[in-house]
Amino acid sequence: MAHFLDTVVLSRIQFALTSSFHMLWPVLTTGMGIYLVLVEGVWLRTRNISYYHHARFWTQLYLLNFGIGVASGLPMEFQFGTNWAPFSEAVGDFFGSILGFEGSMAFMLEAGFLGIMVFGWNRVPGVIHYLSTIMVAFGANLSTFWILTANSWMQTPVGGELVNGKFVVKDYFAAIFNPAMLNSVAHMFLATLETSLFVVGGISAWYVLNRRHPEFFGKSLKIALAVAIVVAPLQIAVGHESALHLRENQPTKLAAMEAQWETLPAGEPAAYTLLALPDSEHEINPWSLEVPYGLGLILDLQPNLQKPVLGLKDFAPENRPPLIPLIYYSFRVMVGIGFFLAALMLVSTVQWLRGKLADDQITGQTWLMRAWLFAAPLGYIAVEAGWIVREVGRQPWTVYGLIRTSDAASHVPATDVLGSLSLFTAIYGILFVSALHFGRRILLHGPNLELPPPGLGSQSARTEMVPDRRPTEVSA
Amino acid sequence: MPQVWFVILALFLLLYVILDGFDLGVGILSLTASSEERRSILMTSLGNVWDANETWLVVMGGALFGAFPLAYATILTALYIPIFIMIFGFIFRAVAFEFREHSNRKLLWNTAFGVGSFLAALGQGFALGSIFKGIQVDAAGHFTGTQWDWLSWQTLLVALTLIQGYVLIGSTYLILKTEGSLQQTHYRTATLAAWTTLIGAGLVTVLTPVLYNQARERLLERPLVYIFALIPLLAILLIGLLLRSLRQKKEVEPFVWTVLLFVLSFMGLGLLIFPYIIPPSITIYQAAADPSALVFMLVFIGFLIPIMLFYEKQRKAPGF
């Protein structure tokens, strides 16, 4: 029970809780931002009012997610100081600057233009509105860029060195373009987009299954599918790149992901343990299901390994990640979902080409629609599982190879952390349930297909200030 | 370089205090609103500005982290509890905006909005009070105090004064934005808040040099002593102008005078603290990041500042 009054453990739990909760919301707003840009672009080009209604409908979900994203994101920024003060002090020169960029460039853009995107339909010209939508999407993705840059630097810290416990930066651009950066940013960018596409598609499938506006939602599903055709396979390729990259830069993480205790030398065949029961105490997998030559084929596309894969036993126990089974299975969950979504995309594309997704056919595709509905939450699960692999796999380091997590935590009383952690748990619980409740309400309400397009009888909203009404379909 | 960043951070903080100040003030006022309809009007008057206003806090946090990592680490550790009071307040406030739109029980979320605003202001007030009081650190600048250092009658006084100040700027904002009986109500709350802020600020002004040696020495330093003598005089003048404009039922003037009052108090505070960033012992030079980091950040953020300010101005322009 002493664990529960250990500041480092509690701070880690708190950070894990707040970051994994926070992440749920920007994942959708970041990806859906691009979807909205797409839909509004088609509306402006074709003037087909259905696309205008799409933009309005999905914006409501966007806004709900944005609000919770901001609310849960604020603690993230401040926790570095409250709970991880030694870390902040040691790496502030670089890490702090990057967080500063995120706030001043990215969040500023997103929050600033969001007002126009949501309230501006009838107040600003269409081009300005479209520009705002683009800026909101751009801002959100710029956030991903900076946050993942900061995080990937923690995975592969280059561009300077630790001098008297302080990271002195020699080359900022080397630190920004650290070895993990491009891959991390790409992987997360695709993850947000893929999650959003399958959320939009899954919700659309739900409407189709319920025979509510099937032609309307068939359209949004097809837009999502069209983008997924590119995104789903690309994500698998980028994910594969990540594994290759880990072999070079974070061997302990790769070993933990594969529950690999012994080193596999180069030039020899290596099996892939598809499933296993890792036993950290005895440093073996007492049970495993192996695919012969699998690891060699995965990493080097040939049965024999080209470079060695280091095993966990090569590292002192205090330098190995904890919770090997968690990392091992989280990785498999993420990969499994990635392949499932790609397969769903393939099947759906085939059906689309066969004309089965046409307005008069789509309601007949019960099984396919059910699969899409089932897929709606999978992206989130994959993102969370991936994040566990990424962050738990980096342990016991906060900055890989440089700063240990146990040295990074603030010296605040454990009772304080226990207090804030309990409040977070309670409040986030309420927020999660409320978000589902209100999200459901938006969905049950459905799109407002009567909404007149901008410029028709809507000039009255311009002059008076209070009350400032939301889109009519929301306040109705 | 540290001085440049001190000024930039001060600018961010000032913008934040004014912009989110009226936001928080309106939130606190909503707790006293006489009807549900009025509460809703108060909230919707902020609907499209609160997130952008809050951005300045995010920007401030990031910039403090990057430019003065030691100060960021020490101050946030020392103020663990007030910072989390503020954060939990913000969480309630932010989600209340979204949830009330979709909820049938508006009262619940309107109250969450009001209570959240109050908590956020309270946390900030205690933090500010602690800065006045000073944060106990060792030679390396690490916090050596205890978890309850931030709580004392002096910090409570500062917190209450800040809340009054927010209520004042919130009231004058509402005078600007509403009409009819709602506006009349806020002429009254503004007058009341002007007096309570005056009393609070007066007490803080008098007590600070009496209680804290360092502040006293700073205040009596030449030539600063003339400036410090001038600030309270100007403040009294501004409050006089504010009260007169409230009596004359002017619409724009009260807000303008209040903003000037905030700017003035802020300058006084800045001069009092400079060059310290963790009063009373760590200066901005000790807490600053490496010069190369400061330059690097300035290159990236520096050119954005005029754009951000210009955009802020545009966003407030009529028609939006």
Side-chain angles (χ1 to χ4, degrees):
Chain A
M1 280 293 114
H3 259 26
F4 288 100
L5 281 174
D6 181 301
T7 301
V8 179
V9 172
L10 289 170
S11 296
R12 282 178 65 187
I13 296 175
Q14 176 168 299
F15 201 86
L17 173 85
T18 47
S19 58
S20 52
F21 180 83
H22 168 62
M23 181 184 320
L24 293 172
W25 318 100
V27 159
L28 193 72
T29 49
T30 308
M32 201 186 257
I34 295 177
Y35 184 84
L36 290 176
V37 169
L38 228 73
V39 171
E40 192 175 343
V42 178
W43 147 243
L44 289 178
R45 212 178 161 79
T46 64
R47 288 286 156 180
N48 179 338
I49 194 166
S50 170
Y51 291 102
Y52 170 69
H53 290 145
H54 272 105
R56 297 300 296 257
F57 175 71
W58 295 110
T59 301
Q60 295 176 61
L61 278 185
Y62 186 98
L63 202 56
L64 184 70
N65 277 267
F66 181 81
I68 308 172
V70 174
S72 59
L74 205 60
M76 301 311 303
E77 188 186 17
F78 286 93
Q79 268 186 101
F80 292 113
T82 52
N83 295 83
W84 304 98
F87 163 79
S88 304
E89 202 189 317
V91 304
D93 284 15
F94 177 71
F95 193 87
S97 309
I98 301 296
L99 281 200
F101 297 159
E102 196 263 339
S104 53
M105 299 180 196
F107 186 63
M108 197 89 186
L109 271 182
E110 190 182 7
F113 281 99
L114 185 72
I116 305 180
M117 182 178 116
V118 175
F119 300 105
W121 282 105
N122 296 318
R123 301 187 197 181
V124 295
V127 179
I128 301 287
H129 189 277
Y130 190 46
L131 197 69
S132 306
T133 310
I134 292 173
M135 283 299 158
V136 169
F138 177 67
N141 283 285
L142 198 57
S143 276
T144 309
F145 173 79
W146 285 122
I147 294 295
L148 266 293
T149 296
N151 182 275
S152 63
W153 177 83
M154 290 165 75
Q155 314 280 350
T156 52
V158 295
E161 58 188 353
L162 214 54
V163 181
N164 296 328
K166 193 168 164 62
F167 188 83
V168 179
V169 192
K170 294 238 165 61
D171 181 346
Y172 284 93
F173 290 95
I176 289 181
F177 294 98
N178 62 76
M181 190 275 259
L182 281 177
N183 185 269
S184 305
V185 171
H187 201 40
M188 193 68 200
F189 166 76
L190 292 173
T192 60
L193 193 51
E194 193 173 5
T195 303
S196 307
L197 293 174
F198 282 92
V199 167
V200 169
I203 292 172
S204 304
W206 177 79
Y207 280 107
V208 173
L209 279 171
N210 286 300
R211 316 256 159 149
R212 285 183 62 180
H213 318 295
E215 57 306 317
F216 182 84
F217 284 103
K219 220 172 250 161
S220 53
L221 190 139
K222 276 179 274 189
I223 298 172
L225 177 57
V227 187
I229 290 173
V230 182
V231 171
L234 198 58
Q235 178 68 311
I236 291 172
V238 171
H240 180 251
E241 277 299 309
S242 314
L244 296 183
H245 158 85
L246 287 178
R247 175 156 63 170
E248 305 295 324
N249 297 300
Q250 287 189 304
T252 51
K253 187 185 282 182
L254 183 65
M257 278 156 59
E258 298 301 345
Q260 193 67 51
W261 300 99
E262 309 290 342
T263 291
L264 301 167
E268 286 182 25
Y272 184 77
T273 56
L274 201 58
L275 291 173
L277 282 178
D279 179 350
S280 302
E281 201 181 324
H282 300 100
E283 304 183 333
I284 48 161
N285 300 331
W287 173 88
S288 63
L289 177 64
E290 298 192 349
V291 181
Y293 308 110
L295 192 61
L297 287 171
I298 290 173
L299 290 177
D300 293 322
L301 306 175
Q302 49 181 290
N304 292 352
L305 284 175
Q306 294 300 98
K307 293 179 203 159
V309 172
L310 297 182
L312 286 164
K313 281 188 184 174
D314 270 17
F315 300 90
E318 69 270 18
N319 289 341
R320 299 176 195 164
L323 307 172
I324 303 284
L326 176 70
I327 299 171
Y328 183 85
Y329 279 102
S330 299
F331 177 63
R332 270 145 191 81
V333 166
M334 173 183 76
V335 172
I337 290 174
F339 277 103
F340 176 81
L341 295 181
L344 179 58
M345 176 281 292
L346 265 179
V347 175
S348 311
T349 309
V350 170
Q351 293 299 82
W352 193 4
L353 292 175
R354 292 176 60 212
K356 299 284 185 190
L357 299 186
D359 288 352
D360 53 340
Q361 298 269 313
I362 193 163
T363 46
Q365 298 291 310
T366 316
W367 280 104
L368 193 62
M369 292 303 117
R370 282 191 191 151
W372 273 84
L373 183 57
F374 173 75
L378 292 185
Y380 290 108
I381 297 171
V383 167
E384 295 286 348
W387 204 250
I388 290 171
V389 173
R390 189 176 175 84
E391 298 298 281
V392 182
R394 190 190 55 216
Q395 300 302 326
W397 307 97
T398 295
V399 182
Y400 193 75
L402 289 185
I403 300 173
R404 280 179 182 278
T405 305
S406 51
D407 298 328
S410 298
H411 304 286
V412 287
T415 46
D416 285 14
V417 188
L418 191 62
S420 55
L421 173 61
S422 313
L423 276 169
F424 271 125
T425 312
I427 294 174
Y428 282 2
I430 298 172
L431 291 192
F432 190 72
V433 173
S434 308
L436 289 182
H437 172 72
F438 293 123
R440 182 174 162 268
R441 200 168 265 199
I442 294 174
L443 298 188
L444 287 177
H445 205 276
N448 179 358
L449 302 180
E450 311 294 309
L451 203 65
L456 291 179
S458 51
Q459 288 307 307
S460 61
R462 206 184 146 84
T463 43
E464 90 276 36
M465 171 64 205
V466 177
D468 192 4
R469 290 225 168 265
R470 290 291 175 105
T472 46
E473 71 269 28
V474 184
S475 54
Chain B
M1 242 338 170
Q3 291 164 356
V4 173
W5 272 103
F6 186 79
V7 172
I8 292 176
L9 278 172
L11 177 72
F12 286 167
L13 186 61
L14 176 65
L15 275 170
Y16 170 74
V17 167
I18 291 173
L19 293 171
D20 215 29
F22 73 70
D23 252 24
L24 291 169
V26 170
I28 297 166
L29 280 166
S30 77
L31 286 173
T32 66
S34 57
S35 70
E36 212 39 46
E37 193 198 345
R38 279 196 172 185
R39 237 190 294 276
S40 297
I41 293 177
L42 293 193
M43 265 187 92
T44 37
S45 77
L46 300 174
N48 55 1
V49 293
W50 72 270
D51 52 352
N53 290 347
E54 219 143 272
T55 307
W56 292 101
L57 185 67
V58 177
V59 174
M60 237 278 300
L64 182 67
F65 191 174
F68 302 102
L70 179 66
Y72 173 81
T74 300
I75 294 175
L76 263 64
T77 312
L79 301 177
Y80 192 91
I81 298 173
I83 294 287
F84 275 102
I85 293 176
M86 175 186 89
I87 285 175
F88 290 124
F90 275 127
I91 291 179
F92 279 119
R93 236 171 73 90
V95 299
F97 273 106
E98 274 333 300
F99 289 173
R100 70 178 290 282
E101 286 298 327
H102 304 289
S103 178
N104 295 332
R105 278 172 298 175
K106 301 263 189 266
L107 179 66
L108 181 71
W109 297 111
N110 286 349
T111 313
F113 172 66
V115 173
S117 304
F118 179 79
L119 284 178
L122 189 71
Q124 287 175 4
F126 276 119
L128 182 65
S130 307
I131 301 283
F132 269 108
K133 197 178 157 202
I135 288 170
Q136 207 182 319
V137 293
D138 61 17
H142 297 134
F143 181 55
T144 55
T146 69
Q147 71 199 106
W148 297 104
D149 277 7
W150 56 274
L151 187 63
S152 67
W153 66 268
Q154 296 100 317
T155 56
L156 181 66
L157 176 65
V158 175
L160 291 177
T161 307
L162 184 70
I163 291 173
Q164 291 308 314
Y166 283 167
V167 170
L168 175 62
I169 198 168
S171 300
T172 53
Y173 173 78
L174 286 171
I175 290 172
L176 195 66
K177 292 290 179 186
T178 60
E179 47 195 33
S181 70
L182 196 58
Q183 193 185 35
Q184 294 309 316
T185 309
H186 293 296
Y187 275 114
R188 284 197 297 280
T189 58
T191 311
L192 191 66
W195 284 108
T196 50
T197 311
L198 176 64
I199 295 167
L203 280 172
V204 173
T205 311
V206 173
L207 284 174
T208 304
V210 173
L211 288 172
Y212 310 124
N213 289 329
Q214 182 147 6
R216 185 164 57 239
E217 282 162 22
R218 176 82 184 163
L219 284 172
L220 296 177
E221 213 174 279
R222 280 166 201 276
L224 281 176
V225 65
Y226 302 112
I227 301 176
F228 281 120
L230 202 59
I231 287 176
L233 293 177
L234 278 174
I236 291 171
L237 176 71
L238 281 174
I239 291 200
L241 287 168
L242 169 67
L243 287 169
R244 198 182 62 147
S245 66
L246 287 171
R247 256 200 317 280
Q248 294 171 344
K249 307 277 182 206
K250 293 272 180 29
E251 293 202 336
V252 185
E253 267 187 41
F255 188 68
V256 175
W257 298 133
T258 311
V259 169
L260 287 177
L261 204 58
F262 266 66
V263 174
L264 189 69
S265 328
F266 200 81
M267 276 170 46
L269 179 66
L271 282 174
L272 188 67
I273 287 180
F274 184 82
Y276 294 96
I277 195 158
I278 314 174
S281 41
I282 303 294
T283 64
I284 54 171
Y285 310 104
Q286 287 164 280
D290 192 73
S292 70
L294 296 178
V295 172
F296 176 64
M297 264 179 85
L298 196 64
V299 171
F300 270 77
I301 296 186
F303 80 94
L304 282 172
I305 294 173
I307 301 175
M308 292 193 284
L309 294 177
F310 176 76
Y311 177 69
E312 191 66 46
K313 191 169 145 279
Q314 289 304 304
R315 211 167 45 80
K316 296 279 183 293
F320 205 79

